[in-house]
Structure formats: C-alpha cells, structure tokens
Amino acid sequence: MLETTTPPALCPECDAEIRFARPPLNGEIAHCSACSAELEVTCTQPIRLELAPEVEEDWGE
Amino acid sequence: MRLAMTYTRLRTEERLLLDAFEGQGIDVDPIDLRSAVFDPADAGDWRRYDAVLDRSVSLTATLTAVRVLEGLGVRCINPLSAVEACSDKLATTIALLRAGVPTPAVRVATGVESGLVAIEAIGYPAVLKPTVGSWGRLVARVNDRDAAEALLEHRATLGSAQQGVFYVQEHIDKPDRDIRVFVVGGEPVAAIVRHSAHWVTNTARGATAEGLELTDALRSIARRSAKAVGADLVAVDLLECPRRGLLVNELNHSMEFRNSITTTGVDIPGLIARYAASIADTLRAREAASA
C-alpha cells in the first residue's frame, strides 16, 4: 500500500513491511506485495496482521 | 442523520463505500459484526442510527444482525425479507415466479432418489446447485445419469444437511456470457457482461467483465426482480436463453462491484452511499415530524 504516516506492519508470512494509505480498520483486508499473501488486520493499535481466513461456506454476495 | 455500515471483512468494496460516504460528507460508523453483541429487547447504541447498511461477507452474520436490528425497529439496507429471498436460491425462485419474472425451470428434492427424479424431470444437462452459496461454489453441470447418481450420493454423504437439498435448474444453452445488472434504490444503474469459455460465467471463477449498455429490456427485468424481493440494492444475474429471452438466474443482495466501476463508468459505491443517506434522511425527517 501507499506511503503514509501510519506505521507499517509486518507480513506474518514473510516479514515484509506492509504500508497503509490510511489508518486501517479491524477486519480490513491487505495484500503483501512480497509474498502475495492475503492478510487481515486483527488489531489496529498497534497494527497486527494475520493470514486472512479461507473462504467459508456462507461467504458470498 | 446517522448511518452505520456493518461488515465482517473490510474488503475493497467496503473501503470504496467508506470513501464514498466520506467524499459526500456523510457520517457513517463502520461496525465489525464479529465484535457486536445484540440484545433483542433493547436497541441500545443502535438506536442512534437512522439506517444500517449491511456489507457482511458472511450470510450468517448478515441474517443474525439484520434479524435483530429489524426486530428493534432499525431500518436495514437491505431489509431482512430481501436478504432471505436473495440468499436462498429456492426462495429467489419462488419470489420470481410469484412476480411473474422469467427464470429457468427448477425442481427441488430432499432425497437421493427423488433428487435423481428431479434431475431427470429437468433433463440432461441439468444444473445442480446448493440453495445457499455464492461465487459459483459447488455448482455442477450434470450431463448424464451416471454423473447424477455420483453427485447426489457424494452430496448426501459428504455434505452438510443443507447440501441434502437438491436444487436442480434447467441448463440454459446461453452464449459464452451472462449479464449482471446493478440495481440501487430499485433502479438499474449499470450493467456488465461476463465472458467465459467455462459454462460458469462467474468472475470469482475467472470470467472477464466489460460494461454493457442498459437496454429497456434489461432495465425492465432488473426493476421487476428487485421489486419481487423488495431489495434496495441487488445485482441481478441474467441468462440469455435462445428460446425464452432474458431469464433471471440469481439475485445478490450484497453485490461486489470493485471491477465494475471502471468497466461501466458508473460510480456504484457513490450511488449506494447517496441512496443509503437518502433513506436515513427520510427516516430522520419523518421521526422529527412525528415528535
């Protein structure tokens, strides 16, 4: 993501820095450009990322 | 006027919506449903919202939240009845048939043997779908009796109880594409056509999308579909049948639109934000007038 004043977080998969264009919200989805992992923000202060869960049976449109 | 937007994952669509609200100067509180605790007897903090736009990716979370909130008198976008009618393919079929909206023929059964009868009543190839599911998951084209017997047995043995409902749809020999019309506030606002060499023309399954001009026929069937389920916001998936013309395949109450803004040139999140705000404004004004 873009350069901002929001402190970067680390990708839990490859330790690459993930930057946010604005302060993220809980549940926000992010992508690691280094390892392509799909990540989810699980804490905003400080920002913590976890691997996003696999699609569940009741997910959709 | 105050709005909330509920979600369980803040995907691109939800971020675009928050940006749209902010761009229009509309106050909205994003609320992660996973952290919410509801009291069905007391609206509590929810009382301050004139309307709630639900954007949960989890149908279970949506149904739970909207059911409680509507019970507490909170206006939800979409209403519970629309979510229920769109999220279950059998309920969608019934709503469309009642409204006289053209849709593929369907048979439903809850046993393996009756499932086979249902498939053979539709004829081969038939399409077997779970009644609840999205993104083309577990949708199967059944080409012959051998495949039918295997699929039914596998679903009955390996699937959840819900997979034991065999929803069998007529296979439409469409061109290598289907059409999606986006409806906001009951009015069609944009359309895309989705191309795929695979018979499942779903972008979640690799189909590519491009903008499509909204014709009178598309507007009419999309409008009637939205009305049939009472939806504020809905994406209407259409098949072009060589014999019967446009048929409504499915309705989506929590539409994805990230790839349809550039392709259609329509600011779909902006329209949704404006619509949600107009609903909240109207309700706030009505409440003020009755006070």
Side-chain angles (χ1 to χ4, degrees):
Chain A
M1 291 196 176
L2 304 177
E3 190 80 32
T4 64
T5 54
T6 305
L10 292 181
C11 171
E13 191 76 348
C14 73
D15 278 344
E17 272 194 357
I18 310 289
R19 294 183 174 276
F20 292 87
R22 73 197 85 188
L25 296 169
N26 260 336
E28 186 140 3
I29 298 297
H31 296 271
C32 176
S33 56
C35 71
S36 300
E38 188 177 60
L39 308 170
E40 180 182 339
V41 176
T42 56
C43 179
T44 55
Q45 287 182 339
I47 298 172
R48 189 171 66 229
L49 294 165
E50 292 180 14
L51 286 174
E54 295 294 314
V55 171
E56 294 181 19
E57 190 181 354
D58 72 332
W59 286 16
E61 293 187 85
Chain B
M1 179 272 289
R2 201 169 179 109
L3 271 167
M5 187 183 86
T6 51
Y7 67 94
T8 50
R9 295 282 183 282
L10 203 82
R11 302 163 294 168
T12 303
E13 276 79 7
E14 287 70 48
R15 179 45 80 185
L16 288 167
L17 283 165
L18 291 177
D19 290 346
F21 282 118
E22 187 181 350
Q24 294 176 37
I26 300 164
D27 280 337
V28 63
D29 291 341
I31 297 174
D32 185 344
L33 279 179
R34 294 170 298 175
S35 62
V37 178
F38 296 101
D39 178 350
D42 181 4
D45 288 344
W46 294 96
R47 197 173 287 117
R48 69 179 120 150
Y49 298 115
D50 300 296
V52 173
L53 171 65
D54 177 70
R55 286 292 312 180
S56 169
V57 73
S58 158
L59 174 63
T60 309
T62 291
L63 287 170
T64 302
V66 174
R67 188 166 284 136
V68 176
L69 291 173
E70 272 199 6
L72 292 166
V74 178
R75 171 69 157 91
C76 295
I77 304 169
N78 281 302
L80 178 63
S81 56
V83 176
E84 289 176 333
C86 293
S87 60
D88 182 302
K89 292 178 179 62
L90 178 56
T92 304
T93 297
I94 290 167
L96 293 171
L97 289 173
R98 278 187 176 160
V101 179
T103 187
V106 164
R107 297 290 186 278
V108 185
T110 54
V112 171
E113 286 183 18
S114 55
L116 187 59
V117 173
I119 290 172
E120 302 222 312
I122 287 291
Y124 298 107
V127 179
L128 182 62
K129 297 180 172 183
T131 50
V132 177
S134 195
W135 299 330
R137 287 194 305 272
L138 295 177
V139 172
R141 182 162 65 185
V142 190
N143 289 326
D144 56 36
R145 189 182 177 99
D146 286 347
E149 289 175 342
L151 270 168
L152 293 168
E153 187 185 350
H154 288 175
R155 295 236 169 134
T157 307
L158 302 174
S160 62
Q162 188 64 37
Q163 296 297 328
V165 180
F166 302 119
Y167 174 96
V168 186
Q169 192 184 58
E170 166 192 14
H171 179 267
I172 303 300
D173 191 18
K174 59 184 170 54
D176 293 337
R177 67 180 212 170
D178 76 353
I179 294 169
R180 167 167 288 196
V181 180
F182 298 91
V183 177
V184 177
E187 280 303 306
V189 297
I192 57 169
V193 59
R194 302 183 293 190
H195 296 275
S196 177
H198 194 277
W199 70 278
V200 179
T201 40
N202 194 308
T203 49
R205 299 272 295 260
T208 56
E210 61 180 303
L212 182 70
E213 188 181 343
L214 271 171
T215 63
D216 288 346
L218 289 175
R219 285 180 195 279
S220 171
I221 197 166
R223 207 177 275 132
R224 290 169 62 203
S225 300
K227 190 175 176 190
V229 293
D232 298 294
L233 312 170
V234 66
V236 181
D237 290 347
L238 298 158
L239 304 174
E240 297 159 285
C241 176
R243 291 180 296 106
R244 297 169 59 201
L246 289 170
L247 303 177
V248 177
N249 185 31
E250 293 179 7
L251 300 176
N252 305 278
H253 66 273
S254 186
M255 56 204 184
E256 292 168 345
F257 47 77
R258 72 181 74 175
N259 298 319
S260 303
I261 301 167
T262 307
T263 49
T264 63
V266 177
D267 177 15
I268 297 171
L271 293 173
I272 292 173
R274 190 168 300 128
Y275 175 75
S278 74
I279 292 283
D281 269 335
T282 302
L283 291 170
R284 172 57 63 98
R286 196 176 295 164
E287 193 179 323
S290 65

